[in-house]
Amino acid sequence: MIIRTKLHIPHVRNALVSRPRLIRKLDEGLEAKLTLVSAQAGYGKTTALSEWVKQCGALAAWVSLDKLDNDYIQFWSYVTASIRERVPGFGQTVDHVLVKGPPASLEYAIPALLNELDQLTGELVIILDDYHFIELPEIHRSLNDLLEHLPPHIHLYIASRTDLTIPTARLLAKGEYHRIQVQDLRFQLDEGVVFFRDTTDLVLTKEQVTELFDHTEGWISGLRLAAISLKRSDNIAETIHRFSGRQHHISDYLLEEVLHYQSEPTLAFLLETSVLNRMNESLCQAVTGQKNSQEQLERLEKLNLFIIPLDDHRGWYRYHHLLSDFLQQHLFTRDRDQWMKVHRRAANWLEHHGFDDEAEEHYLEGEQFADAVRLIEKNLPTLVQSKSIALHRWVSRLPENAFAEKPMIEMFYISVLLGVGEWKAAIRRIEQARIRFQALQGKVSDAEWNQTMGNIYFFCSVASYLQKDLKQMSAYFELVERYMPEGSFFQTMGRNRYQGYDLFDDHLAFLNDLYLGDEFLLKWISIWGKKEKYPFVGLLYASYSKLLYEWNRLEEADGYVRQVLGRPDMLPFARILIQLAISASRIQQALGNSERASELLVQLKSQIDSPDYELFVLKIEAEQACLSVRQGSMQDALDWLQRCGLAPADELTLNHVPEYMALARVLGESGRLEEALELLVRLNRLLMKEDRLRDRIKVLILRSLTFQRQGLPEAAFAELETALDLSAEQGYIRSYLDEGELMAKLLSDYVKVRGNRLSHSSPASLTYARRLLQAWNTASAKEPSDKERLTEQETNVLRFMAEGLSNKEIAPRLNISAETVKFHLKNIYRKLGAKNRIQALQRAAELMMTVE
């Protein structure tokens, strides 16, 4: 839920001191991408920005941040919502990724936000107040990504008590980073004189103001507190003289002085409401029991006692953080029981009014753990889907026994830990859950216990998988079958959403022992393959077909993937479908069915029905680019290179290894060899660190071919030899055969050269190179000629092309889509050895094909 008051620009009192120097300094930020307003509490950062927005007239989106916003989805949802307050309809694509997407797809929120910002025609200022509450590294990194590509008409202003953790050197060097610091914010002496003259009833000499400035160093809140204290002084000169220390010492003294003169009801009101991030009359009354809460709020505002109205109607307020922090510490140390009570009262009111996230925080502070668990259980699906970081934080604060009999909370929490990559913590909790919930047998119904243990054993199998223990994983699968033969809900959870890295989908990317994988996959395919509504098995079929494909057992691989490719229970699950279709496409290409290989990927785009469609398409198009290279359609691969948005210098993560391997392949094929090599070096480093054997072998193969293209045979042999040594034990074949004639020549040269210098090479690598060459000769003998005849539909496309019709004009004539027309054109060009329409028509005429 978006709290609208956090998007309001805080109200500015009329009795402000005019500060033209500071306003000019803030104006200068409109020439930069980023302006940081940085100072400790009490220097008037919020007030300065509020007044500046009011004066400059810029279109400004404002977010008042708090500790609940230390969550990636929450943070960027508020940023998007704040812009939508000023630009109706803004941010639909961003919300689509944030609200509906899984954690792994969140990196696409920033590109989506940048694209929408780029479409805005006017200048926009985005103000993030109190950014020091944000500690999550993922938010800092994403903010850096935003700044890197921020359009020139968008300006980001950040107010924070601390310096930013994001790198700013490049922005500073380019003149895109503007800083406003303590010395800019603190009052100058002339401004202090005006402050006391125009905003207080005090009559101070210039010498007395100067003495106050010496004590406070122009600290605005210190001057305000001093003014409140001096109003009650019988001897102003003596009181000023007593002020000592600098701002970080004087604040407590001055606040104590101010609070000392408040009535008991007002002091109680201040202490008890200090725990609230924001407050209105009803909430204050619920927390304090004082029926005159609105009067109290308005009285505090009139006293200028560090209270900030959040709207023009005086409905919602918040305390200045300086006062709030002081009061909370005062309440906590003075009366711990009262501290707990006010949090519980706040939680009850907030939950009743639909503010569940804030209520959860107060239940935890008030140690109302049963209510905290109940609220988590109530919102579990939403929390797992879009607030996993908050769920993680909340469950971490609960005592272990708080949800001892709430297996679904435990299961969802474990799924969150797995999703954010905290494997060790997940494995530990899985084992603890197994022991704890086994002990519930007899205390709950058999059906409930069986379902709980079925889910537990499924997660135990996941823990075994993460430890690459397939034998133990299989034993847990047997227990899942025993207690929950219809399958765990968690087996298919999120299968229609983009998750990034294929850790749990493309099993061969993670498992290094193909022979153990062969035994495991075949066993569970035989058990689960006959179940009609069991889509989870599709991932096992996909992985087994890839394994057989790697061993060059193409007909068998084709048979397994065909068994499930058209099953109805697979179709709703994009993550399953994409694994099956990509495997099927590679198999068809290897079998010589180039048209079918391309067609499968084109059809895949139309079959996917997922909120994350665009994210899946990025993965499919990377596969299409690789297929285009293998089919000799380099122009299609180069077109992908221009639009894919990937660059060799990008930061690499496991989420996008296939896409960056595709990038390296196309770079190498297009002659950009140095860029390809550098990218492959970094990919190899990542894959070694993460122990990913299959993809590391593929990277080494690409490196050897790139060195071969550079005319560096010894370097090529060294990379190839490492790949061969890694491949021999597991029997990798297709990873070599798929590279075509250049790899065949490299292997042949390697055998000739290294065979004469056995002391310089591993006999195993030579033996395996010879085996691969034998496989090559066998495959080459079976491969059909690439000069195939045009199909009837391709002939029709060619005929309309001769008439000068475009793809869009041809499509309705043949009752097909424009994408399918493009697919047929690719095949026509390939078969005719053409690069464009003119060459295709000329080549067709040369071959005496009928195109009339």
Side-chain angles (χ1 to χ4, degrees), residues 653-753:
T653 64
L654 286 175
N655 285 359
H656 298 293
V657 165
E659 290 91 328
Y660 281 99
M661 287 176 66
L663 178 65
R665 180 182 298 282
V666 176
L667 288 171
E669 291 282 349
S670 61
R672 296 166 62 177
L673 303 179
E674 291 297 335
E675 291 175 281
L677 280 173
E678 176 56 31
L679 175 57
L680 290 167
V681 166
R682 295 192 298 120
L683 279 168
N684 187 48
R685 191 180 302 131
L686 172 66
L687 295 166
M688 283 184 68
K689 176 185 175 184
E690 299 293 340
D691 190 27
R692 304 296 193 260
L693 179 63
R694 184 198 68 183
D695 290 340
R696 188 182 171 216
I697 289 171
K698 291 178 180 292
V699 164
L700 289 166
I701 288 171
L702 286 175
R703 278 180 57 79
S704 69
L705 293 173
T706 307
F707 281 127
Q708 178 83 335
R709 289 189 174 96
Q710 284 187 319
L712 300 171
E714 287 301 321
F717 291 163
E719 296 295 319
L720 177 63
E721 192 164 276
T722 304
L724 291 169
D725 285 336
L726 294 172
S727 302
E729 186 176 344
Q730 296 299 318
Y732 282 87
I733 298 176
R734 283 309 314 185
S735 289
Y736 296 86
L737 268 59
D738 288 345
E739 299 302 332
E741 292 301 321
L742 186 61
M743 174 53 73
K745 183 178 186 308
L746 179 59
L747 282 167
S748 180
D749 292 346
Y750 172 80
V751 170
K752 289 176 185 176
V753 174

Side-chain angles (χ1 to χ4, degrees), residues 270-521:
L270 284 165
L271 290 170
E272 291 170 359
T273 56
S274 66
V275 303
L276 303 172
N277 288 330
R278 61 197 180 91
M279 52 198 167
N280 65 7
E281 177 186 9
S282 176
L283 177 53
C284 289
Q285 184 172 323
V287 169
T288 67
Q290 296 190 28
K291 295 183 179 180
N292 63 338
S293 292
Q294 185 64 30
E295 294 175 19
Q296 289 278 33
L297 290 168
E298 292 176 5
R299 178 174 176 274
L300 292 173
E301 186 184 3
K302 288 176 182 177
L303 288 173
N304 198 18
L305 195 57
F306 286 73
I307 187 169
I308 301 168
L310 296 177
D311 55 48
D312 292 334
H313 307 292
R314 302 302 198 270
W316 287 89
Y317 294 82
R318 74 168 174 85
Y319 290 125
H320 190 290
H321 299 307
L322 185 73
L323 179 62
S324 177
D325 293 347
F326 174 83
L327 291 171
Q328 287 191 54
Q329 183 63 31
H330 201 66
L331 176 62
F332 185 82
T333 55
R334 179 173 121 169
D335 193 339
R336 183 72 187 277
D337 288 341
Q338 188 64 13
W339 165 270
M340 308 270 283
K341 286 178 184 177
V342 295
H343 275 293
R344 293 167 187 173
R345 293 170 188 165
N348 291 331
W349 187 96
L350 288 163
E351 182 183 2
H352 180 73
H353 288 81
F355 302 110
D356 285 2
D357 290 0
E358 291 176 272
E360 181 69 28
E361 295 284 347
H362 286 289
Y363 278 134
L364 289 168
E365 287 290 348
E367 298 184 5
Q368 290 289 97
F369 298 128
D371 286 311
V373 170
R374 175 182 54 76
L375 205 53
I376 289 173
E377 197 169 27
K378 169 187 168 185
N379 295 302
L380 255 181
T382 300
L383 291 172
V384 171
Q385 181 68 18
S386 60
K387 296 185 179 180
S388 58
I389 295 172
L391 175 61
H392 185 187
R393 185 177 72 251
W394 291 336
V395 176
S396 299
R397 292 172 62 185
L398 289 168
E400 283 289 334
N401 61 357
F403 49 97
E405 297 184 5
K406 300 288 183 181
M408 289 307 289
I409 290 181
E410 184 68 65
M411 295 302 98
F412 275 104
Y413 182 54
I414 288 171
S415 72
V416 169
L417 290 175
L418 292 170
V420 299
E422 294 192 20
W423 294 359
K424 290 183 179 179
I427 291 170
R428 183 176 64 253
R429 292 196 76 100
I430 288 168
E431 179 58 21
Q432 291 171 348
R434 183 185 66 79
I435 296 170
R436 186 163 70 248
F437 290 118
Q438 277 180 336
L440 291 179
Q441 189 172 21
K443 299 178 182 178
V444 296
S445 69
D446 288 346
E448 184 180 353
W449 190 81
N450 287 346
Q451 183 180 37
T452 297
M453 292 313 300
N455 282 318
I456 289 285
Y457 290 135
F458 170 71
F459 277 113
C460 288
S461 74
V462 172
S464 300
Y465 175 77
L466 293 174
Q467 297 169 85
K468 302 187 180 184
D469 187 346
L470 294 186
K471 184 176 180 181
Q472 186 64 54
M473 184 180 184
S474 190
Y476 279 123
F477 271 168
E478 290 172 2
L479 290 170
V480 173
E481 273 295 283
R482 176 180 173 184
Y483 291 102
M484 201 161 48
E486 73 281 4
S488 168
F489 160 78
F490 294 98
Q491 284 177 313
T492 52
M493 187 177 74
R495 297 296 176 194
N496 198 35
R497 306 309 304 267
Y498 182 85
Q499 295 288 340
Y501 182 50
D502 298 328
L503 169 68
F504 296 109
D505 298 344
D506 183 5
H507 304 107
L508 301 190
F510 180 69
L511 300 172
N512 294 340
D513 193 325
L514 298 186
Y515 293 98
L516 284 179
D518 177 31
E519 179 184 345
F520 172 83
L521 291 167

Side-chain angles (χ1 to χ4, degrees), residues 558 562 584-594 596-597 600:
D558 186 42
R562 283 176 183 271
S585 173
R586 293 174 184 173
I587 292 166
Q588 291 304 311
Q589 177 65 20
L591 288 170
N593 302 324
S594 299
R596 180 59 180 156
L600 280 162

